[in-house]
Amino acid sequence: MSNARATHLTRRGILAAGGALGLGAVLAACGDDDSTSGGSADETKAAAAGPWTFKDDRGTTVKLDRIPANIVAFIGVAAALFDYGIEVDGVFGPTKTADGKADVQAGDIDISKVTILGNEWGQFNIEKYAALTPDVLISTLFDDAGTLWYVPEESKDKILKLAPSVGISVYDRQLPVSLGRMYALAESLGADVKAAKVVDAKKKFETAAERLRAAAKAHPDIKVLAGSASQDIFYVSGSNLSIDLEYFKALGVNIVEPDPKVLKASGGWYESLSWENVDKYPADIIMMDDRSATIQPADITEATWKQLPAVKAGQVIPRSPEPIISYDKCTPLLDSLAEAIENAKKVA
């Protein structure tokens, strides 16, 4: 049995997690939801001219008399907006690790300069949220019901009364669609999308996509499995709901698909396997969930894992089931998989 920490699963956390599972959301809240950073964003910034209108992926149109100045966002959204030059005041969701460092989902944000309203699933400090006098709350959507990711169900009514909300879908669509929507949101918030940094990032993403397409075409027999590890269970993701896997498949990558009947029972996201059955699906490359709440490959001690051909061949790479939706952050995901396919040995 692995010696890594146990995870405690919730049905919503598992089903909503974009690919291999919401293990980033499935931990029961074990910290202090009053956890905060050293300070908020600059409170002296001038209010941008308005009016501001944005139609989100729920079909909801938000109208304000000025461009939002005080923004609160799910950490992954905040990280994406940061890449476009848009800074937020408050964040919620996995922002810092147990040792106080920035979580992988925080991207390039200096987490000491934002107010952290909650760091784990179920945490959201409403009093601190209200104190920020938010103009808008922004999160992602992992279902077609309009559920705002990491906004606690039990307190959502109180939260959503304080400011209008915007949802950007990362559910059952390909990565470029969500990238386009985040790009449009950033532009509406005042981002200079013609800046060299932004233009170059988009070009690099397109180049990386063509590289992955070429690699997949040249190596159609290389099977790629998307996995995620917890204390007792190894999860295998299906490709039909996750924005990254849907796109990889569209580019020609040979994604390992779990049993359709089992997928249906999980809402289409994944199949759960015991560690004894981790070899059920042969794979040449394994992409492993890189979120901080999952067990990372170096910490997996199960003998069955170590005996997998892809593991023995060193053909295990990270995967971001909740990618930061900016061209800058998604380009390395494509390049990493392309390189792995280009260099992979056929071991399955």
Side-chain angles (χ1 to χ4, degrees):
M1 195 63 67
S2 170
N3 59 7
R5 64 188 180 283
T7 58
H8 304 282
L9 306 183
T10 67
R11 180 174 177 80
R12 182 185 172 204
I14 292 175
L15 296 184
L21 324 174
L23 291 175
V26 298
L27 292 179
C30 61
D32 179 8
D33 68 356
D34 288 338
S35 161
T36 184
S37 68
S40 64
D42 184 1
E43 296 178 355
T44 65
K45 60 189 175 184
W52 182 75
T53 300
F54 188 82
K55 185 175 181 179
D56 76 358
D57 292 337
R58 299 170 299 180
T60 300
T61 299
V62 177
K63 297 181 179 180
L64 299 175
D65 59 6
R66 61 185 174 90
I67 296 175
N70 300 331
I71 301 171
V72 172
F74 171 67
I75 184 61
V77 171
L81 292 176
F82 187 87
D83 286 347
Y84 290 108
I86 304 297
E87 298 187 29
V88 308
D89 296 274
V91 298
F92 54 94
T95 303
K96 62 181 179 181
T97 58
D99 59 5
K101 296 180 180 179
D103 190 276
V104 64
Q105 295 191 62
D108 295 331
I109 291 176
D110 182 345
I111 63 172
S112 71
K113 295 183 178 180
V114 293
T115 298
I116 302 174
L117 303 175
N119 197 61
E120 298 186 19
W121 187 255
Q123 294 181 350
F124 195 109
N125 190 301
I126 301 176
E127 290 74 20
K128 288 184 177 179
Y129 178 56
L132 291 173
T133 60
D135 294 321
V136 67
L137 179 149
I138 310 173
S139 191
T140 47
L141 308 170
F142 274 98
D143 59 29
D144 55 10
T147 306
L148 293 167
W149 192 230
Y150 266 80
V151 174
E153 189 69 23
E154 62 274 13
S155 55
K156 69 176 183 179
D157 291 342
K158 292 181 180 179
I159 294 168
L160 299 180
K161 284 180 180 178
L162 297 174
S165 62
V166 167
I168 298 296
S169 180
V170 290
Y171 172 77
D172 195 17
R173 56 185 56 192
Q174 292 181 24
L175 183 57
V177 177
S178 295
L179 282 168
R181 293 294 290 143
M182 191 66 73
Y183 177 98
L185 175 61
E187 183 177 21
S188 79
L189 293 170
D192 180 4
V193 296
K194 295 183 180 179
K197 177 183 177 181
V198 176
V199 173
D200 289 347
K202 191 170 187 293
K203 288 181 179 178
K204 288 179 180 178
F205 176 84
E206 292 166 351
T207 298
E210 289 309 310
R211 178 187 179 185
L212 181 54
R213 188 193 302 277
K217 184 176 181 179
H219 305 279
D221 59 332
I222 296 298
K223 295 182 178 181
V224 180
L225 181 147
S228 188
S230 70
Q231 182 76 24
D232 301 313
I233 301 172
F234 182 81
Y235 301 89
V236 179
S237 276
S239 67
N240 290 330
L241 297 179
S242 302
I243 57 173
D244 61 331
L245 299 183
E246 281 201 18
Y247 188 47
F248 298 160
K249 182 171 62 175
L251 291 174
V253 177
N254 187 353
I255 303 289
V256 173
E257 300 286 357
D259 185 329
K261 292 182 180 179
V262 178
L263 273 181
K264 184 177 181 180
S266 73
W269 287 109
Y270 64 91
E271 177 176 353
S272 58
L273 301 173
S274 67
W275 285 104
E276 289 75 13
N277 296 315
V278 72
D279 60 351
K280 179 176 180 179
Y281 297 106
D284 302 294
I285 295 171
I286 300 176
M287 303 175 65
M288 288 295 291
D289 190 336
D290 68 355
R291 290 174 293 182
S292 57
T294 66
I295 301 175
Q296 297 306 300
D299 298 320
I300 299 174
T301 61
E302 276 76 8
T304 49
W305 163 262
K306 293 181 178 181
Q307 291 303 310
L308 292 177
V311 175
K312 293 173 71 174
Q315 295 176 176
V316 178
I317 64 173
R319 176 198 170 213
S320 299
E322 293 183 59
I324 295 171
I325 308 300
S326 72
Y327 292 106
D328 181 71
K329 293 299 182 291
C330 287
T331 295
L333 308 181
L334 301 181
D335 279 331
S336 174
L337 181 54
E339 181 179 6
I341 293 174
E342 290 163 355
N343 298 325
K345 297 177 182 177
K346 182 65 182 173
V347 296

